[in-house]
Amino acid sequence: GAVVSQHPSWVICKSGTSVKIECRSLDFQATTMFWYRQFPKQSLMLMATSNEGSKATYEQGVEKDKFLINHASLTLSTLTVTSAHPEDSSFYICSSTRADQKADTQYFGPGTRLTVL
Amino acid sequence: SQKIEQNSEALNIQEGKTATLTCNYTNYSPAYLQWYRQDPGRGPVFLLLIRENEKEKRKERLKVTFDTTLKQSLFHITASQPADSATYLCAGNSGGYQKVTFGTGTKLQVIP
């Protein structure tokens, strides 16, 4: 199988602070990593796509200065929510494709529940 | 705009019966469709992928169809079990081969 982990699994922070979420591929090299956001009873919405060593591509309406993505290696991508506000409270999920497989299969992490007070 | 729609928000079914979930796509032709299972508070788990040139695909008790005329995919779980209770998401590639658009999901409840 292909295992993707996320850390932390949940986080509560005060409004105005920054929060970093890590996404790691544990047993494979990830060609591309994706970051999604899911609000209650809604579907996953793609926020950005990142490839190792290059700048992330953000979806329309997603502020790149607020959601900083760093794809430092083939096994690690981080999402930093800067100056978080209550409306940023959501379930953040990462996924990745494997370098040794077709690009049409994504492996998802378990998600990170962010609550901003 | 490209849309993936799962019109049934919830589906209740008796244990042992076949559950059938529907996914429709509009305003584009995806190269493939995927089905995922998502449990509460968890990330999606990949189940099956079917490409546009494939009519049907099976995996154990799961079967997926792809009808390009109806612009629809059906997802079947045969001999359903309470453990199959979860939200099932349909996704289709959009804006390129890797990126996918998700439907809102259908919450399946299998009643013992």
Side-chain angles (χ1 to χ4, degrees):
Chain A
V3 180
V4 176
S5 71
Q6 280 184 242
H7 178 80
S9 54
W10 60 269
V11 56
I12 301 172
C13 69
K14 291 183 179 179
S15 188
T17 60
S18 293
V19 174
K20 181 187 280 189
I21 302 170
E22 290 186 351
C23 176
R24 291 180 188 273
S25 56
L26 297 184
D27 54 353
F28 64 97
Q29 290 189 331
T31 313
T32 303
M33 284 185 166
F34 303 88
W35 285 96
Y36 294 85
R37 181 166 51 180
Q38 186 177 34
F39 291 106
K41 296 198 175 182
Q42 293 187 25
S43 192
L44 282 76
M45 298 300 294
L46 180 65
M47 298 174 68
T49 305
S50 74
N51 292 290
E52 183 258 341
S54 57
K55 286 185 180 180
T57 302
Y58 289 81
E59 295 300 299
Q60 197 171 14
V62 178
E63 300 173 55
K64 57 181 70 175
D65 293 331
K66 181 168 181 64
F67 298 99
L68 302 178
I69 291 172
N70 184 2
H71 196 149
S73 74
L74 281 172
T75 60
L76 173 65
S77 175
T78 60
L79 168 68
T80 301
V81 183
T82 61
S83 186
H85 290 286
E87 58 265 30
D88 298 322
S89 297
S90 187
F91 192 49
Y92 291 85
I93 311 172
C94 71
S95 72
S96 63
T97 55
R98 291 181 65 135
D100 59 349
Q101 285 184 3
K102 280 189 98 156
D104 53 17
T105 300
Q106 294 184 31
Y107 298 93
F108 283 82
T112 297
R113 172 76 57 194
L114 169 64
T115 302
V116 185
L117 302 175
Chain B
S1 60
Q2 299 170 348
K3 281 186 182 177
I4 295 285
E5 293 173 309
Q6 293 179 257
N7 294 326
S8 294
E9 197 173 306
L11 177 66
N12 294 330
I13 193 164
Q14 208 68 36
E15 182 177 5
K17 301 289 185 186
T18 296
T20 298
L21 284 64
T22 305
C23 172
N24 294 290
Y25 57 90
T26 54
N27 298 326
Y28 83 121
S29 298
Y32 60 83
L33 292 166
Q34 300 171 324
W35 284 88
Y36 292 83
R37 170 183 174 138
Q38 187 175 26
D39 290 287
R42 307 288 296 174
V45 174
F46 173 78
L47 296 175
L48 280 168
L49 178 150
I50 185 165
R51 297 193 168 83
E52 60 179 340
N53 61 348
E54 297 174 318
K55 288 202 180 311
E56 181 181 297
K57 196 167 256 189
R58 291 173 187 260
K59 179 182 173 184
E60 296 171 356
R61 293 185 295 114
L62 309 180
K63 184 176 87 171
V64 171
T65 61
F66 196 154
D67 189 326
T68 54
T69 302
L70 292 177
K71 294 182 179 283
Q72 183 180 85
S73 173
L74 297 179
F75 175 78
H76 305 273
I77 305 175
T78 57
S80 58
Q81 305 164 0
D84 296 326
S85 299
T87 295
Y88 291 86
L89 302 170
C90 174
N93 74 297
S94 60
Y97 195 69
Q98 282 187 316
K99 281 172 53 172
V100 293
T101 296
F102 281 86
T104 49
T106 297
K107 186 173 180 179
L108 175 68
Q109 184 80 29
V110 181
I111 302 162

